[in-house]
Structures are given as structure tokens and as C-alpha cells.
Amino acid sequence: MRLLGLWLGAAFYWMGQLMLPAGRPGRALARAFLAQALWFDPHNHRARGYLDYLLGVRQTERGEPEEGLRLLKRAAKALPEDSAVALDAGVAMTMGGEYAAAVTALTRLLSEHWLRVRGERQLWFALAWSHVRLGQYPQALKTAQEAAAASVGTVQLRLVTLLAGGALAGEMDTAAIAGLLRTTPGLIASILEFTEQLATAGQPALADQLVAVLPADVQRRGLQLVAASAMNRGAPQAARWALDQQAARGEDARYLVLKSELHLQEGDLPGALAAAEQAAEKSQGRDAAAQEQWGEVLLLMGREEEAFPHFVEALGHGSLSALAGGVVAMRLLEQGKPDGAKQVFRVSRTGAELGCAWAHAATAWIQADNDEVGESLELAERAWAELLGLPAWAAQPATRRRLLTLLQGIVKRLEETARQREKDEWAARAAKLRRKLEGALRDED
């Protein structure tokens, strides 16, 4: 029976291999065949590697690059001799911002499989762009020259040459970059990434030159994207530069929301509140982001009662904020309205640590009401982990104490239920988390 399983596993593996080159439909069949191969032979590491590869490609195409990168890296490790797998993994590293790892992987790929991969345009651009993003401008220029010698020339590599050369010279060839943009508007995203990099590195004059190259109707939105990205990375200098540049082009509600967020991250709660109020006023109260920001500032100031209606307004305008959803759902649960709280999470919600902590706490309560002890406990543990990871500006005492108290009540209830059911593992986990929460609350005093 064991031999039959191995034979069937090998047969399905080779059927999957035959389908790999057959485009998207072929990849779908290959995934099915490889999964079947693993069912018959779970130890077939090559089948596992190629299945990881195909799943990674699919996740990347679906807009889930982090999961795609994880699978592609695992596939490349399992199948080091397959240049196609290594290429896609290296390119995914560049897309995922793992530039140093991408340089290592793609340089090795060129060294070991030169004849197979030298004509791959995406390889050369990914390698050159990784050098640029690492600030390795001479290496980026060298890579572009090597690509040209291999008869690979693309508009993206031309952009790399202009950006790296401009950074080294201290002046951008704006006319040439503008010419590239006229023929290939898709280069805007790369230019904005590099603009943020220059601003972060303390080279605002070069960043100014790149912004001026962008079409006038793109500049404002582009600067907002740079500011938001810089704040997400913890680069307030670059965010401040981008917002100052936009202010010179006119202030809108989005600008004021970002200005409020920057004030928050800098610890200026009154400034953050004033900017959030101005954003809501400018949008006549109809902008979800402005209402979310107003609510968040009030919440961090310990004024939850005032924050609540702004979060309700944000949800009414279609907000997918985890923070707005978590705060509103928690209030509904406290009011004995579980159906309304469940309705809040009918859609997927996203956010940073603070928002995820509130959303996880609220869904933990909902699951506890549904008598799903294991799921509720897991959500409570995730909420605790998010609380531990709060940046300093978001760990305001009043909000932190409020969440700790809510979680403590939920976990006590879960511990009691687990003991009544004689679920010792759940009870032990709940007791451990309860003690951590109690300790954190004591530290708050």
C-alpha cells in the first residue's frame, strides 16, 4: 500500500510539472495535481516546493504580497536549482521591500544561471532598483550598464540610471525624467518612492526637483502618499517635508488629516485635535477619514464619550477602520446590543496596532457571547499582543487602561467558563493572560 501511495504521488507530481508552463489555467491544474501528490506522499519535498511556488505567485497576483513572498522564499529554499522559482522569489523580495535580500538572491542567480536569466528584464530592474533603494547608486548604475551589455534595455532601467545618476551628481535631469513620464506614466510610483527616500535622507532639494517633474494634478496626491508612507515608516522628517510641500499647493481635508496624524505621532495632542477639527469642517463632516481622525485624537485624550459619535459618523460614511469599528462595537456590546456589534464586523476592517487591539477585544467579547471559548481566547491574546506593540504616542494612559480593563473582564469570564467545562488548557491560558493584564493594570497606577 505504501508503494502504491508513492507511485501515485510521483504520478501526480509529474502531471503537475507538465501543467506548469501552460499559463494561468495550467497553473490552476498544477496546484491541484501537486496537492494530490502531497496527499499520497506528504514527504515529497519537491511537490511541496512547487506548490508553495504556485501558491506564492497566486497570492501576489491577488494583492497579498506578504503572504506571496513568504511562500516564494520557502519555495526558493526548497528548489535552489530552479532559476524560475529563484527569479520570482527575488523579484518578490524587491516588491516587498527586502532590498538587501533581493540583491543577494538576484546576484547569485545571475552568477549561477547566467545563460538562462540574462535576458529577464524584471530581474535587471529588480536588482538595479534594490541597489537604488539601498542608496547604492554606483552599483545601480553598474547593474543598468550590465543589463545594456546583455541587450536588455527598458524604460524602467533608464529611470534607474537617471535617479541614481542625479543622486550622485546632486542634481536631477528633470527634462529627461519628464520625457519618460510622458511616455510611461506608470513610473510615477517609483518616482514617489525615491522622492520619499531623498526626503528621509535629508536631501529635500533633490526631492523638490522630482516633485516638480510630476504632472500638476498628481503632485498634491503624490505628496500625500509620501507623507502617509513616511509616517507609517516612522520617518517624521520626510512626512513634515511632504506636508509642507503640499501646504504650498493648497490645504484640503486629506492634508489636514495627515497633519493631525503627524501631530499625534509627535505627541502634540492639541495640535492634532485642531487639525482634525479643521479637516472635518473643510469636508463638511462628510469625510470618513476626517471623522476617524477626530475620534482617534479624542480617544487618545481620554475623551471617549466625545469620540464615539465621530466613529459612528465615520462608519456611516463607509469607513473600514478597525479602530472606529472596535470602539463602536464595544459600546454596543456594553449597551447589550450584540447584534449591532456583529453587524460592525460584517466587513473586513484594517488598521494599526491601536485599532486592531480594539477590534480584537470587541470580537473576543462577541465570540464569548457565542460560547466560542477557544476563538475568544485567541482574539483576547491577539489584542494583548497589539497593546504591547503600541507606539509611545498611541499608548496614552487613559486609552490603555480602558482596553486593559475591558480585556480583563472578558478573560475572567473565559477562565470561569473553561473551568466549568473542565477545559484545562483553555483555563490555564486564560489564567496566564489574566495575570498579565492584572500586572499591567497595577503598573498603570
Side-chain angles (χ1 to χ4, degrees):
M1 194 67 177
R2 169 67 176 158
L3 287 176
L4 177 61
L6 291 174
W7 184 86
L8 288 170
F12 276 108
Y13 169 75
W14 287 111
M15 290 168 66
Q17 286 289 301
L18 289 172
M19 291 295 104
L20 275 174
R24 189 183 294 269
R27 292 200 299 268
L29 285 171
R31 288 194 299 270
F33 287 141
L34 290 168
Q36 195 65 46
L38 286 168
W39 191 86
F40 284 111
D41 181 9
H43 302 292
N44 188 334
H45 79 279
R46 293 184 65 80
R48 168 59 61 193
Y50 279 109
L51 183 58
D52 282 341
Y53 168 65
L54 292 170
L55 292 172
V57 170
R58 184 176 67 176
Q59 294 302 98
T60 301
E61 291 174 344
R62 288 180 171 180
E64 298 181 16
E66 291 183 4
E67 177 62 12
L69 176 57
R70 184 186 70 81
L71 291 165
L72 287 169
K73 287 165 69 175
R74 195 165 73 180
K77 184 177 181 180
L79 305 164
E81 78 289 350
D82 193 311
S83 59
V85 172
L87 173 59
D88 282 345
V91 171
M93 290 175 196
T94 298
M95 293 172 58
E98 296 187 9
Y99 302 115
V103 167
T104 299
L106 295 172
T107 301
R108 183 189 302 120
L109 182 58
L110 282 168
S111 174
E112 296 177 354
H113 300 282
W114 170 258
L115 292 178
R116 293 183 188 177
V117 302
R118 65 180 180 179
E120 295 288 349
R121 295 182 175 187
Q122 59 179 339
L123 182 156
W124 289 108
F125 174 66
L127 179 56
W129 187 246
S130 293
H131 280 307
V132 165
R133 297 293 278 132
L134 291 168
Q136 300 169 349
Y137 304 130
Q139 294 93 321
L141 291 173
K142 183 173 181 289
T143 300
Q145 291 166 358
E146 291 173 347
S151 300
V152 175
T154 66
V155 67
Q156 288 82 6
L157 285 169
R158 174 62 177 154
L159 178 65
V160 165
T161 300
L162 290 169
L163 296 180
L168 287 172
E171 185 173 359
M172 293 291 165
D173 186 344
T174 54
I177 296 171
L180 290 182
L181 277 179
R182 282 193 292 272
T183 60
T184 315
L187 296 175
I188 288 175
S190 297
I191 289 175
L192 288 174
E193 282 186 41
F194 193 60
T195 298
E196 181 186 342
Q197 179 172 322
L198 291 171
T200 302
Q203 296 177 285
L206 289 178
D208 291 344
Q209 292 174 27
L210 283 182
V211 172
V213 167
L214 299 174
D217 59 338
V218 173
Q219 291 181 12
R220 178 179 295 184
R221 180 58 178 158
L223 287 165
Q224 291 173 351
L225 290 172
V226 168
S229 174
M231 280 188 276
N232 287 337
R233 291 189 307 103
Q237 178 185 0
R240 174 65 63 189
W241 168 83
L243 291 178
D244 288 345
Q245 287 294 309
Q246 189 194 329
R249 292 166 171 80
E251 300 181 358
D252 58 11
R254 177 61 179 163
Y255 160 81
L256 290 164
V257 167
L258 291 169
K259 182 179 178 181
S260 173
E261 185 66 23
L262 183 58
H263 280 308
L264 265 188
Q265 294 190 13
E266 293 174 338
D268 180 9
L269 290 174
L273 182 60
E277 290 174 345
Q278 291 168 14
E281 181 180 354
K282 190 170 283 288
S283 64
Q284 298 181 328
R286 293 193 293 267
D287 183 78
Q291 293 290 347
E292 287 168 26
Q293 188 66 24
W294 198 349
E296 180 177 9
V297 177
L298 288 168
L299 185 70
L300 290 174
M301 296 177 82
R303 296 158 62 178
E304 186 181 339
E305 288 295 327
E306 297 174 64
F308 177 73
H310 296 292
F311 287 134
V312 172
E313 282 290 324
L315 296 184
H317 291 297
S319 168
L320 297 178
S321 161
L323 181 59
V327 171
V328 170
M330 191 65 79
R331 178 62 60 89
L332 291 170
L333 289 166
E334 290 179 311
Q335 294 173 348
K337 301 175 181 176
D339 291 339
K342 292 176 186 177
Q343 192 66 33
V344 170
F345 294 106
R346 296 293 185 194
V347 297
S348 178
R349 299 197 170 277
T350 60
E353 297 91 347
L354 181 64
C356 289
W358 275 91
H360 289 328
T363 48
W365 186 327
I366 291 171
Q367 292 294 70
D369 282 350
N370 291 341
D371 218 19
E372 300 288 349
V373 177
E375 289 83 349
S376 179
L377 182 55
E378 181 178 346
L379 287 163
E381 290 169 338
R382 290 166 66 183
W384 165 246
E386 296 288 356
L387 267 173
L388 290 178
L390 286 179
W393 60 267
Q396 298 296 326
T399 304
R400 182 177 161 83
R401 171 170 283 281
R402 168 81 163 128
L403 265 174
L404 287 169
T405 303
L406 287 167
L407 279 173
Q408 183 187 43
I410 295 167
V411 172
K412 280 183 177 179
R413 176 179 165 191
L414 293 174
E415 184 180 359
E416 292 171 2
T417 303
R419 293 195 188 284
Q420 289 170 2
R421 294 186 184 177
E422 299 183 348
K423 297 288 187 180
D424 295 339
E425 181 185 351
W426 287 349
R429 282 171 57 192
K432 182 179 179 180
L433 180 55
R434 173 180 53 76
R435 289 192 292 270
K436 290 179 179 179
L437 293 165
E438 289 172 350
L441 281 167
R442 283 195 299 271
D443 291 342
E444 291 290 312
D445 293 334

